[in-house]
């Protein structure tokens, strides 16, 4: 087997820079409902590759603030779209990375987030009431970044997450649902923020997570499913919070992620040979950072943000990624 | 973007594609602007409702438009309608979103909208007695069960569909006996032993039936051990079965049961030498036995575990470090 290509940082930086330039493209507009999330994915990927300034800071902050939904008191994914917890967390993450939280009426956002907690302890994504442990994570992470965790009913929040734990050690999106790597990330990271990792059976979950690695090095999201680059982050973040990243083969996974790069246009795809997008570009780069790939900035696996940003806020938890390797050339 | 092959287009091909899409794009943007404007103006008219249908057909992920559509129904349309007409509207919603679901079976917003529909079916005001009053509800919820079965036939691992199934079972006004879910998962598992979603669901249903006393745990478990053993022999490399087996054995089994399962797996290993899942499971159950014995027996078991873990380090090098940490724990 030939050795995998290196991480083509300049090419990925220019791929992310060009994402906003395709406004005459239908597919660009068909993803408007994910725009704010996409800005967060792009910015975080740039930070991890050491190119935070590749996108204009003022323009980005203005765009974030243009997504504010005055009626609800949260952020929509795009100007005039309804507020939702998913986009509200992205907005807060961007403002924290850009050190621009002063733009925000924090007490209103906190009120919006807390209003979405249900009697069972889980969070709804918006006032229409879809519930999911993803939204519990969004609420916990956002409140923590805003310094307002004290307003949260921690016991109720943890109690719902605990009820989503399955016998295999993993977590599902609601009570009774099958374990899924993405849900494992949100539940484990929320518990880490709330200092309640005692809820986890770390041997069982560590086993389940380690078994996500397939012979080609990639990770899948559930037993007997296909590999996908985004699980590099969902699985690795949970493993690093459990301090068990070494339980999978880091070299094989790195090669898999690197082989999913588009060597001409930049960006990373779900698997080799597929179309790239900014979501998989972030989660590929994030995975490589946790695996100690040379030249990258540390990623905080709990918040999925640059580690220096989280450290500066005093929010770092006790996770462990692999030691950063020194480039051989 | 998932599973879309990368193709290189020439500059000319890209330009041609853009040109073809131009009219579509202009139409889409105009419709979006129109609807977001109407929404801001609290326009809850039937006109606006029809426009949301058009936009959601092009983009079923536009959650703001789903929200707006529900608001039009609640604030603009339903207040002036009789219960029967509301019921008809909801049936139409379910019919329309079915087409969207078939082409986009993993879009959260569509599943979400169907839940909202189910929860907003009115009572039949002309009926007498609870059953008759709930007739519209039970008929619709029953039909949803068939919808979800169709979707699980198309993709037996779709976790949205499984969640929706659990949601229907828990909330329908016309609940069927929980035990029928066992038969359903049997049929799914028999069609494909790798369907861990079905094994998972089965574990939840059994747990509930045992807790409520509707089924006898000890008796069921014996049948389950037979089923699992059959699956293990069919494909010993399928991890679904081994994970389910671990659930079946549980965390507080007797030494007798553990020893019996260890022997059964050892027999399989004789035929499937070097099968990773056999060896890994043997370690797991032998480690459970370790806490139940002492003295020489303990020494012997511990040495066996160590030897098995060393084999695993060679057989399954990806997870070498995990096995090393387990050796240290012995």
């Amino acid at each position: 087997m030939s050795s995998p290509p290196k991480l083509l940082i300049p090419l990925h930086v220019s791929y992310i820079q060009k994402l906003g330039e395709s406004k005459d493209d239908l597919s660009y507009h068909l993803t408007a409902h994910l725009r704010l999330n996409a800005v967060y994915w792009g910015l975080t990927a740039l930070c991890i590759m050491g190119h935070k300034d590749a996108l204009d800071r003022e323009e980005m902050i203005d765009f974030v603030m243009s997504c504010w939904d005055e009626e609800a008191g949260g952020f929509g994914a795009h100007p005039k779209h309804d507020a939702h917890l998913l986009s509200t967390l992205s907005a807060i993450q961007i403002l924290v990375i850009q050190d621009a939280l002063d733009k925000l009426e924090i007490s209103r956002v906190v009120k919006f987030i807390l209003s979405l907690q249900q009697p069972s302890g889980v969070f709804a994504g918006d006032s229409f009431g879809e519930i999911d442990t993803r939204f519990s994570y969004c609420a916990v992470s956002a409140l923590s970044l805003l310094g307002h965790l004290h307003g949260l009913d921690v016991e109720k929040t943890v109690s719902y997450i605990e009820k989503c734990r399955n016998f295999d050690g993993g977590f599902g999106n609601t009570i009774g649902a099958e374990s899924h790597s993405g849900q494992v990330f949100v539940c484990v990271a929320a518990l880490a923020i709330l200092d309640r990792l005692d809820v986890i059976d770390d041997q069982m979950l560590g086993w389940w997570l380690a078994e996500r690695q397939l012979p080609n090095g990639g990770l899948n999201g559930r037993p007997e499913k296909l590999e996908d680059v985004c699980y590099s982050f969902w699985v690795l973040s949970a493993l690093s919070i459990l301090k068990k990243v070494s339980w999978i083969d880091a070299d094989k996974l790195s090669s898999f992620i690197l082989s999913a790069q588009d060597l001409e246009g930049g960006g990373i795809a779900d698997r080799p040979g597929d179309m790239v997008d900014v979501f998989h570009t972030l989660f590929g780069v994030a995975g490589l950072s946790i695996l100690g790939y040379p030249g990258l900035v540390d990623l905080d696996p709990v918040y999925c943000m640059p580690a220096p940003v989280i450290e500066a806020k005093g929010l770092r938890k006790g996770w462990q990624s692999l030691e950063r390797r020194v480039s051989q050339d | 973007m998932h599973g879309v092959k990368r193709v290189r287009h020439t500059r000319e091909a890209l330009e041609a594609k853009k040109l073809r899409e131009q009219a579509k794009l202009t139409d889409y943007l105009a419709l979006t602007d129109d609807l977001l404007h109407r929404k801001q103006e609290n326009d809850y008219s039937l006109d606006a409702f029809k426009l949301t249908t058009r936009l959601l057909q092009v983009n079923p992920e536009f959650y703001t438009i789903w929200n707006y559509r529900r608001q039009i129904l609640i604030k603009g349309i339903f207040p002036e309608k009789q219960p029967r007409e509301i019921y008809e509207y909801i049936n139409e919603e379910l019919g329309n979103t079915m087409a969207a679901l078939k082409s986009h079976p993993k879009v959260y917003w569509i599943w979400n909208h169907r839940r909202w529909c189910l929860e907003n079916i009115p009572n039949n005001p002309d009926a007498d007695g609870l059953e008759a009053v709930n007739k519209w509800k039970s008929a619709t919820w029953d039909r949803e069960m068939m919808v979800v079965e169709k979707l699980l036939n198309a993709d037996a691992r779709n976790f949205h569909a499984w969640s929706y199934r659990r949601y229907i079972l828990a909330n329908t006004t016309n609940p069927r006996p929980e035990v029928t879910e066992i038969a359903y998962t049997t049929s799914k598992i028999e069609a494909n032993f790798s369907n861990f979603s079905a094994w998972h669901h089965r574990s939840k249903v059994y747990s509930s039936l045992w807790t409520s006393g509707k089924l006898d745990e000890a008796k069921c478990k014996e049948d389950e051990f037979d089923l699992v053993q059959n699956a293990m022999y069919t494909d010993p490399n399928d991890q679904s079965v081994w994970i389910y087996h671990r659930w079946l054995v549980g965390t507080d089994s007797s030494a007798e049961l553990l020893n019996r399962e260890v022997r059964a797996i050892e027999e399989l290993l004789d035929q499937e030498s070097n099968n990773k899942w056999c060896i890994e499971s043997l370690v797991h159950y032998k480690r459970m036995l370790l806490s139940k014995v002492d003295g020489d027996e303990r020494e012997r078991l511990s040495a066996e575990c160590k030897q098995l873990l060393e084999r695993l380090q060679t057989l399954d090098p990806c997870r070498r470090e995990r096995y090393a940490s387990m050796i240290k724990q012995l």
Side-chain angles (χ1 to χ4, degrees), chain B residues 60-161:
Chain B
E61 301 209 50
F62 205 151
Y63 70 91
T64 303
I65 301 301
W66 283 114
N67 293 348
Y68 180 35
R69 185 176 178 86
R70 287 189 288 270
Q71 260 157 359
I72 298 174
L73 286 170
I74 298 167
K75 295 181 181 167
I77 296 179
F78 289 173
E80 290 170 9
K81 301 285 179 208
Q82 295 300 315
R84 178 170 293 279
E85 293 169 301
I86 295 178
Y87 177 49
E88 280 160 11
Y89 258 96
I90 286 182
N91 270 326
E92 203 157 317
E93 282 302 282
L94 289 167
N96 287 339
T97 47
M98 190 58 217
L101 207 53
K102 269 189 188 152
S103 45
H104 305 273
K106 291 182 180 173
V107 171
Y108 286 95
W109 315 110
I110 306 177
W111 290 103
N112 204 18
H113 189 70
R114 289 186 90 82
R115 282 185 168 89
W116 179 86
C117 289
L118 290 180
E119 284 158 23
N120 282 277
I121 303 166
N123 289 333
N124 182 349
D126 306 323
D128 278 329
L130 190 63
E131 206 177 309
V133 168
N134 278 333
K135 208 181 105 193
W136 293 342
K137 286 181 185 158
S138 49
T140 316
W141 284 79
D142 282 353
R143 203 183 53 216
E144 283 304 277
M145 203 60 182
M146 279 152 61
V147 166
V148 88
E149 264 163 43
K150 251 189 214 162
L151 282 151
L152 283 173
N153 286 343
D155 174 7
R157 298 298 305 274
N158 184 339
F159 70 83
H160 299 273

Side-chain angles (χ1 to χ4, degrees), chain A residues 22-315:
Chain A
S22 38
K23 295 200 173 76
D24 54 349
D25 210 35
L26 180 62
S27 59
Y28 175 83
H29 296 281
L30 286 176
T31 54
H33 60 279
L34 287 172
R35 191 72 69 237
L36 203 48
N37 310 66
V39 173
Y40 152 73
W41 295 328
L43 173 64
T44 306
L46 288 173
C47 289
I48 299 306
M49 294 188 289
H51 285 266
K52 182 183 167 189
D53 298 330
L55 292 176
D56 186 81
R57 179 177 181 271
E58 295 308 315
E59 207 182 304
M60 189 182 294
I61 295 171
D62 287 348
F63 177 75
V64 171
M65 294 317 295
S66 73
C67 295
W68 175 252
D69 176 349
E70 178 59 30
E71 203 184 319
F75 287 91
H78 195 271
K80 293 189 184 154
H81 289 208
D82 287 346
H84 195 283
L85 259 183
L86 290 168
S87 35
T88 298
L89 175 61
S90 291
I92 292 168
Q93 288 170 312
I94 297 166
L95 294 177
V96 167
I97 295 173
Q98 298 288 20
D99 194 17
L101 270 187
D102 56 318
K103 301 272 176 193
L104 196 58
E105 225 182 306
I106 292 182
S107 61
R108 280 205 70 194
V109 190
V110 168
K111 203 174 148 204
F112 167 71
I113 296 170
L114 291 174
S115 75
L116 294 172
Q117 187 163 34
Q118 307 299 301
S120 65
V122 70
F123 278 76
D126 62 17
S127 57
F128 281 95
E130 179 190 4
I131 56 159
D132 193 309
T133 45
R134 284 181 304 150
F135 307 144
S136 297
Y137 170 75
C138 290
V140 168
S141 173
L143 290 170
S144 160
L145 290 169
L146 295 174
H148 275 263
L149 264 186
H150 53 270
L152 177 73
D153 187 335
V154 172
E155 208 173 306
K156 215 159 80 169
T157 311
V158 171
S159 132
Y160 187 88
I161 295 175
E162 199 172 1
K163 288 183 191 135
C164 294
R165 190 186 57 202
N166 293 314
F167 72 88
D168 51 28
F171 294 85
N173 71 337
T174 46
I175 295 171
E178 180 184 353
S179 298
H180 180 289
S181 305
Q183 307 296 149
V184 169
F185 158 69
V186 292
C187 291
V188 170
L191 291 170
I193 294 172
L194 299 174
D195 295 318
R196 286 301 309 276
L197 290 177
D198 59 290
V199 164
I200 294 167
D201 179 345
D202 72 326
Q203 292 299 314
M204 197 72 165
L205 179 55
W207 166 65
W208 189 87
L209 288 166
E211 291 298 344
R212 297 305 105 239
Q213 187 161 40
L214 297 170
N216 68 1
L219 305 177
N220 64 12
R222 291 184 279 159
E224 303 296 330
K225 295 277 286 178
L226 284 178
E227 70 285 353
D228 183 321
V229 161
C230 61
Y231 294 118
S232 311
F233 175 72
W234 312 125
V235 173
L236 277 181
S237 58
L239 280 172
S240 83
I241 294 168
L242 300 181
K243 302 184 181 169
K244 292 182 178 17
V245 176
S246 64
W247 281 20
I248 56 149
D249 188 323
D251 289 341
K252 282 183 89 170
L253 177 56
S254 296
S255 303
F256 172 75
I257 298 171
L258 292 167
S259 67
Q261 298 179 99
D262 180 341
L263 304 179
E264 288 171 45
I268 302 176
D270 59 347
R271 55 185 77 95
D274 281 359
M275 285 281 283
V276 301
D277 58 65
V278 65
F279 173 87
H280 289 94
T281 304
L282 167 62
F283 292 122
V285 169
L288 289 171
S289 174
I290 295 175
L291 294 172
Y293 192 86
L296 292 178
V297 172
D298 283 349
L299 174 101
D300 186 296
V302 174
Y303 293 89
C304 194
M305 288 165 66
V309 172
I310 297 301
E311 269 158 42
K313 292 184 77 71
L315 293 176

